[in-house]
Amino acid sequence: MRLSRFLATHFYHSEELCQALAIDEDTLLLWQDSSLFPKPSYCIKNQLSCSSYSGLYECEEYDDYYPRGCVNWGQGLAKQKITSSSQAFNYFAQQYMAALQKLVQHGFEFNEELFGCDIEEHLQQVWQQFLCSKYGVLTQNGLIDEIAAVDIGRLVVDDITELRTKPSLNQDERTRLHPAMKLLNRALSHGADHEKQHTLRTRYIDALVLKYDLSVK
């Protein structure tokens, strides 16, 4: 799929995002400068050469693209009347913890030791990654539920497969691994063509399906 088609299919152009949120681009920039809203996931620079009856025209155009889940986040900021980064972080943390609790209710067991740090430190790390739009590239829509799913799915997979190095899995391990793989399959982005070999989907789904002869259906 051409990059332009991939972006148009899975992301919002900055103008589309602003229209969906009923804000102008100055407000979007203010939110970003105030650490309330993620940076764009993709920044495109186009060298254009246009030929017409009037002659040849050349120019550069710049376009920013955001994951579609950013609409949910922006609507939440407006609804909660959030104006400071600390308020935005607290709002993010509440949603992230609620997403983790849903995963617990669906049978995913984990503890803070798996994060390698306490939950507050982990939340700060994820928040900064959210703001720089890391998850806008890694997940399908940049939703907080997807972010939590990717974090927990990876932890469970790494724990069972010993960081994806275990040569084989017994039946119990395969049974425990399958829900985590399905979770990642629903949350992880397929990536643009030029990124596919470096994506988490390639490392945590495609490679493991082949290595352990698995299915994620």
Side-chain angles (χ1 to χ4, degrees):
M1 182 184 292
R2 290 176 52 190
L3 180 58
S4 58
R5 188 178 303 167
F6 169 78
L7 294 174
T9 301
H10 300 288
F11 292 81
Y12 282 137
H13 184 279
S14 55
E15 292 179 3
E16 294 175 315
L17 176 66
C18 289
Q19 288 174 1
L21 291 174
I23 62 174
D24 56 32
E25 292 197 38
D26 288 340
T27 299
L28 177 60
L29 290 174
L30 177 61
W31 281 0
Q32 291 172 327
D33 291 342
S34 302
S35 296
L36 308 181
F37 199 90
K39 298 294 185 183
S41 295
Y42 293 90
C43 300
I44 305 299
K45 174 184 175 182
N46 289 316
Q47 298 281 146
L48 296 181
S49 179
C50 174
S51 178
S52 71
Y53 178 79
S54 300
L56 182 66
Y57 173 70
E58 295 183 343
C59 67
E60 291 183 353
E61 289 187 357
Y62 300 86
D63 296 302
D64 293 334
Y65 289 87
Y66 296 82
R68 301 201 166 194
C70 275
V71 172
N72 299 55
W73 178 252
Q75 289 172 338
L77 292 180
K79 183 177 181 180
Q80 300 295 324
K81 295 180 170 57
I82 291 173
T83 58
S84 71
S85 184
S86 60
Q87 290 175 322
F89 168 72
N90 289 335
Y91 180 56
F92 177 87
Q94 290 169 6
Q95 293 193 63
Y96 185 91
M97 292 303 296
L100 289 188
Q101 189 57 43
K102 287 180 184 177
L103 293 174
V104 170
Q105 293 170 358
H106 283 85
F108 289 94
E109 298 180 4
F110 55 90
N111 54 54
E112 291 189 11
E113 291 181 2
L114 289 176
F115 288 123
C117 59
D118 62 41
I119 191 63
E120 182 65 26
E121 183 179 345
H122 178 70
L123 282 168
Q124 287 287 352
Q125 292 174 356
V126 177
W127 169 241
Q128 293 304 318
Q129 293 165 346
F130 175 73
L131 287 178
C132 75
S133 207
K134 172 183 176 179
Y135 290 102
V137 174
L138 297 184
T139 67
Q140 293 197 22
N141 301 288
L143 295 167
I144 296 176
D145 283 356
E146 292 175 338
I147 295 172
V150 169
D151 286 351
I152 296 308
R154 291 178 65 189
L155 288 173
V156 173
V157 168
D158 285 344
D159 185 49
I160 294 172
T161 64
E162 297 177 357
L163 299 177
R164 292 163 285 131
T165 64
K166 205 165 187 178
S168 62
L169 301 176
N170 60 38
Q171 187 56 49
D172 177 65
E173 291 167 332
R174 296 168 74 88
T175 300
R176 289 189 293 120
L177 184 64
H178 194 250
M181 297 281 286
K182 290 180 66 177
L183 186 69
L184 289 172
N185 190 46
R186 291 192 297 269
L188 286 174
S189 169
H190 289 269
D193 285 346
H194 70 279
E195 299 172 319
K196 286 188 182 297
Q197 62 180 331
H198 304 297
T199 62
L200 287 181
R201 174 173 288 277
T202 295
R203 287 155 48 196
Y204 277 84
I205 297 179
D206 298 341
L208 295 188
V209 166
L210 290 175
K211 183 180 179 72
Y212 299 119
D213 190 22
L214 300 169
S215 169
V216 294
K217 295 180 180 180

